[in-house]
Amino acid sequence: MKGFFSSALARGLFWQLVGTLVSAGLVTGIRALMGLSVTDTFFFTEPAWVLGGFIGTLFFLVGSGVTSDWIKWARGIDTPEHHEDHFTGAEKYINVSLDHKVIGIQYTIVALLLISIGGLFALIFRTELAASELQFLTTDMKLFGQNGPQLYNTLMSLHGMVMIVSILLGISGIINYAVPLLLGAQDMAFPRLNAFSYWIAVPAAVLLLSSLFLGGFDTGWTGYPPLSTRAPVGMQMFFLGVFVAGWSSILGSLNVLVTVIRLRAKGMTAMKMPIFVWAAIATSLIAMTATQLIGLSFQSVMFQRLFGMGFYDPAKGGNPVLFQHLFWFYSHPAVYVFILPGLGVISELLPVFVRKPLFGYRWIAMSSLGIALVGFVVWAHHMFTSGMNEYLRVPFMYSTLLVAVPTGVKFFSWVATLWKGKISTPTPMLFVLGGIIVFLLGGLSGPPNATVSTDLHLHDTYFIVGHFHDTIFGGFVFPFFAAIYYWFPKATGRRMNEFLGKLHFWLMTPSFFVLTFGMMYIGLIGMRRRIVDYDPALGIDGAHLVLTIAGFAIALSVLIFFYNFFNSIKNGEKAEGNLWNSRSPEWQVPSPMPAHNYEKPFEVIGEPYDYGLKDDAGYVKFIEPANGAHK
């Protein structure tokens, strides 16, 4: 416990609190001198909370020590290019590290924490929906300055964005840990920037969650005006948290692209890179170029609230639909930011457990870039019911349907890889197969939303909720669990328990099918999303009860995973040698990886996925140093 209070995390959180209160107090003092109101919501006014949240973030970054090397450099003090971690055990993960493997694990732990919080929010409002009429979130109750229906709106809205931020951090965790290992690099191209990209996400998560305690908001995770221009001050914390988290995504993506371009091993040409690296490239291209748009859309609503600007106010010449264009220009490509790494994990792990070459390697690689490209011209299918110009509907309908082509390439390649393979099904492979099936359901339920005539009826119903959960669970959540089970032995030197892993899978998967098929069913009947109560005449009370039970079953399966995860760190079976009989370079060296990854550099001499072929010389050959001395 003593180690925690002296850690970078504790220092950062302390200074974030100090910076927030001092800055908010300063604004309050200035407003008092100007004769303006000094109290509004929860002691401070909205401008005080916004400035306090921003300055608190800067205080966190300085207080945690992640900017120390840059400050020393600015003062003319020499700083080492890289250094070994001074901490051991769990302390490594609550302090600043420049090791990409530690940073990848830090991202993953925070992602799992946020998934738990977002899932808890879902269980609360899912329980309220188990029967028609208000159960416990009533108009009489008060919590965090909100009555029951208002709290429902806040929890529902936060569930969406907390889960999205957790997915972004989970993606960063997998990419940070795996990409340098797959490339043969010692670290990311910019280790300090890599650490900064992680640590700036921590105060962003704090800001996002603080919106619950500052009056909440009722807009859903999209933050559409005019609702977002009238919501309590919690809305501003929501906007600010996502805005700050965007910096993590942009800077991390830049680092990934430079790492791939500059730090590949000898002989690793573009078409000899592991397929997950191609997924990371496509993901990073989207995140680096599109994230600014959601930041801009949220920042403009913040400014409209703070300074009276009229971006989305028709009375001042603004247009609320403009916000939707800006928001979805990022947020639909962001769906591919979520799923491309997951599809990359599927493509990476599938040949390992099928013992066959990956069918259509080049097509899969190019399909990732194709999805990234087409993803930028499909955003307006979210706006078919918004009142936008009708002549835009048909082109966006066709572009949306077109994205199925590069996605279909992946499916056909996976099926061809599975065909006549020697399939084994340890826990990572189960989650790979589950991801393929669930994502296929998300893909098949997508065209009705892409087609104008059907979307006009399905939009804002629970059918969309079911489709979206299929897409995200199949495209990210299942592959995320597969990646954790697969690379956990490499990170810790121990295996996760296979029985508990399979119990996790077989409890979560059928429960999830029940949940999403049920969502689509009640949506087709007429159940609208984002509402706290529904008409008993719909006759769906029983369906909602089943959905709630399925949701709790999924939560139980995730609890089993958490127990397995943390218990296996110390008590898991030791993982020795090439546990999965993989050709990847990271599995050719002992586990866990040393600080600088590869003591001997390697040269790529073959293809990455030539499993089961005769006269195969292997994928990599380690280079013996001259005169027997290691560099």
Side-chain angles (χ1 to χ4, degrees):
M1 203 63 174
K2 182 180 178 181
F4 172 79
F5 287 113
S6 61
S7 67
L9 177 60
R11 294 196 311 270
L13 292 173
F14 170 77
W15 284 108
Q16 182 178 14
L17 178 62
V18 171
T20 300
L21 295 178
V22 169
S23 303
L26 180 62
V27 172
T28 301
I30 294 174
R31 291 178 66 89
L33 293 175
M34 296 174 63
L36 301 174
S37 62
V38 294
T39 59
D40 185 9
T41 303
F42 300 96
F43 189 72
F44 293 121
T45 58
E46 183 171 307
W49 278 118
V50 174
L51 183 66
F54 179 73
I55 299 300
T57 299
L58 300 181
F59 271 55
F60 178 97
L61 295 171
V62 176
S64 66
V66 72
T67 59
S68 295
D69 279 358
W70 291 334
I71 293 173
K72 289 179 181 177
W73 174 82
R75 295 171 57 198
I77 300 173
D78 189 30
T79 56
E81 186 65 26
H82 205 338
H83 61 78
E84 304 287 345
D85 287 326
H86 302 298
F87 301 96
T88 58
E91 288 190 8
K92 279 197 299 186
Y93 305 106
I94 54 175
N95 285 285
V96 175
S97 172
L98 303 186
D99 185 347
H100 76 95
K101 298 182 294 298
V102 173
I103 294 171
I105 293 170
Q106 289 173 324
Y107 269 121
T108 303
I109 295 296
V110 175
L112 291 172
L113 175 63
L114 290 179
I115 285 174
S116 303
I117 295 172
L120 177 61
F121 293 161
L123 291 180
I124 295 172
F125 68 74
R126 185 68 255 168
T127 303
E128 173 59 51
L129 291 170
S132 57
E133 301 183 351
L134 298 181
Q135 312 303 312
F136 61 95
L137 296 180
T138 62
T139 54
D140 297 329
M141 68 158 288
K142 281 285 185 180
L143 187 64
F144 309 130
Q146 306 165 68
N147 64 25
Q150 291 170 334
L151 183 60
Y152 174 92
N153 286 334
T154 299
L155 293 175
M156 176 270 298
S157 304
L158 273 178
H159 164 72
M161 189 54 78
V162 168
M163 285 301 202
I164 285 171
V165 172
S166 72
I167 291 171
L168 290 172
L169 297 183
I171 288 164
S172 297
I174 300 173
I175 290 176
N176 263 276
Y177 188 86
V179 165
L181 299 184
L182 294 171
L183 293 175
Q186 288 190 350
D187 209 318
M188 297 290 277
F190 306 118
R192 294 183 182 89
L193 186 64
N194 198 27
F196 182 85
S197 299
Y198 162 71
W199 284 95
I200 197 173
V202 178
V206 172
L207 287 170
L208 181 60
L209 293 173
S210 72
S211 63
L212 172 63
F213 309 104
L214 295 178
F217 55 101
D218 59 356
T219 64
W221 68 275
T222 57
Y224 280 0
L227 276 179
S228 57
T229 61
R230 305 167 186 166
V233 70
M235 188 82 253
Q236 294 286 55
M237 296 298 104
F238 169 87
F239 284 150
L240 190 58
V242 176
F243 182 86
V244 173
W247 281 100
S248 173
S249 188
I250 294 169
L251 297 174
S253 300
L254 172 66
N255 211 347
V256 170
L257 292 173
V258 176
T259 300
V260 173
I261 293 170
R262 298 287 298 172
L263 300 182
R264 299 196 304 273
K266 181 179 179 182
M268 188 178 286
T269 60
M271 288 303 162
K272 289 190 175 183
M273 291 191 302
I275 200 69
F276 180 75
V277 177
W278 278 105
I281 292 172
T283 302
S284 300
L285 287 172
I286 298 173
M288 191 176 70
T289 54
T291 306
Q292 295 88 338
L293 273 295
I294 192 173
L296 176 62
S297 62
F298 282 4
Q299 183 189 47
S300 55
V301 180
M302 289 174 60
F303 283 4
Q304 179 168 324
R305 290 176 58 122
L306 289 173
F307 307 122
M309 296 179 174
F311 298 110
Y312 311 115
D313 184 355
K316 297 181 178 179
N319 186 350
V321 177
L322 172 62
F323 176 92
Q324 296 187 37
H325 282 290
L326 293 173
F327 178 86
W328 286 114
F329 187 80
Y330 163 78
S331 294
H332 194 86
V335 172
Y336 305 119
V337 171
F338 305 157
I339 67 175
L340 279 171
L343 305 186
V345 168
I346 292 174
S347 301
E348 186 70 38
L349 271 56
L350 197 61
V352 176
F353 298 109
V354 177
R355 311 313 299 174
K356 274 182 60 184
L358 180 64
F359 186 89
Y361 165 91
R362 287 172 172 77
W363 285 99
I364 293 180
M366 292 300 103
S367 70
S368 294
L369 298 181
I371 290 172
L373 178 63
V374 179
F376 278 101
V377 292
V378 305
W379 79 88
H381 71 250
H382 293 273
M383 301 169 57
F384 286 160
T385 61
S386 69
M388 72 176 189
N389 294 330
E390 291 188 5
Y391 64 81
L392 290 175
R393 288 176 174 172
V394 173
F396 278 105
M397 178 178 72
Y398 284 124
S399 64
T400 302
L401 294 171
L402 181 64
V403 82
V405 176
T407 309
V409 167
K410 293 185 184 293
F411 275 102
F412 285 118
S413 296
W414 295 336
V415 171
T417 303
L418 285 164
W419 181 254
K420 293 187 177 181
K422 297 179 180 179
I423 302 173
S424 60
T425 54
T427 303
M429 182 59 169
L430 287 178
F431 278 95
V432 165
L433 295 174
I436 293 173
I437 296 169
V438 173
F439 187 66
L440 177 62
L441 295 175
L444 294 176
S445 59
N449 310 320
T451 308
V452 177
S453 57
T454 49
D455 182 71
L456 293 176
H457 297 278
L458 296 174
H459 198 82
D460 275 334
T461 71
Y462 253 80
F463 185 91
I464 303 295
V465 181
H467 157 72
F468 186 70
H469 279 77
D470 269 337
T471 303
I472 295 303
F473 261 73
F476 173 76
V477 177
F478 275 84
F480 183 49
F481 284 129
I484 291 175
Y485 282 107
Y486 181 76
W487 277 299
F488 183 91
K490 178 53 57 180
T492 65
R494 295 183 181 272
R495 292 188 64 170
M496 293 180 71
N497 183 278
E498 272 291 295
F499 172 77
L500 293 178
K502 291 182 177 179
L503 180 61
H504 169 204
F505 174 81
W506 287 114
L507 180 58
M508 185 174 86
T509 305
S511 302
F512 182 75
F513 286 146
V514 171
L515 181 70
T516 55
F517 279 128
M519 287 175 170
M520 293 183 198
Y521 167 72
I522 63 174
L524 290 172
I525 288 178
M527 173 69 185
R528 293 186 294 124
R529 59 178 173 171
R530 300 176 183 168
I531 57 172
V532 67
D533 195 15
Y534 50 92
D535 188 352
L538 285 173
I540 55 176
D541 287 57
H544 268 294
L545 178 60
V546 171
L547 295 186
T548 303
I549 294 171
F552 274 90
I554 294 170
L556 177 59
S557 75
V558 175
L559 281 177
I560 293 171
F561 162 78
F562 275 114
Y563 171 78
N564 193 2
F565 182 89
F566 289 106
N567 183 62
S568 298
I569 291 173
K570 285 190 175 181
N571 303 320
E573 174 190 348
K574 288 189 177 180
E576 298 177 352
N578 191 342
L579 181 63
W580 309 115
N581 196 20
S582 169
R583 294 168 60 87
S584 284
E586 79 274 20
W587 289 106
Q588 314 310 314
V589 298
S591 302
M593 297 290 290
H596 294 290
N597 297 342
Y598 299 102
E599 295 182 359
K600 302 176 185 178
F602 63 79
E603 177 182 0
V604 172
I605 58 172
E607 300 296 329
Y609 304 105
D610 282 353
Y611 290 95
L613 301 183
K614 294 181 179 180
D615 304 322
D616 173 39
Y619 176 46
V620 300
K621 179 180 71 175
F622 286 90
I623 302 171
E624 292 293 336
N627 303 322
H630 290 177
K631 293 184 179 180

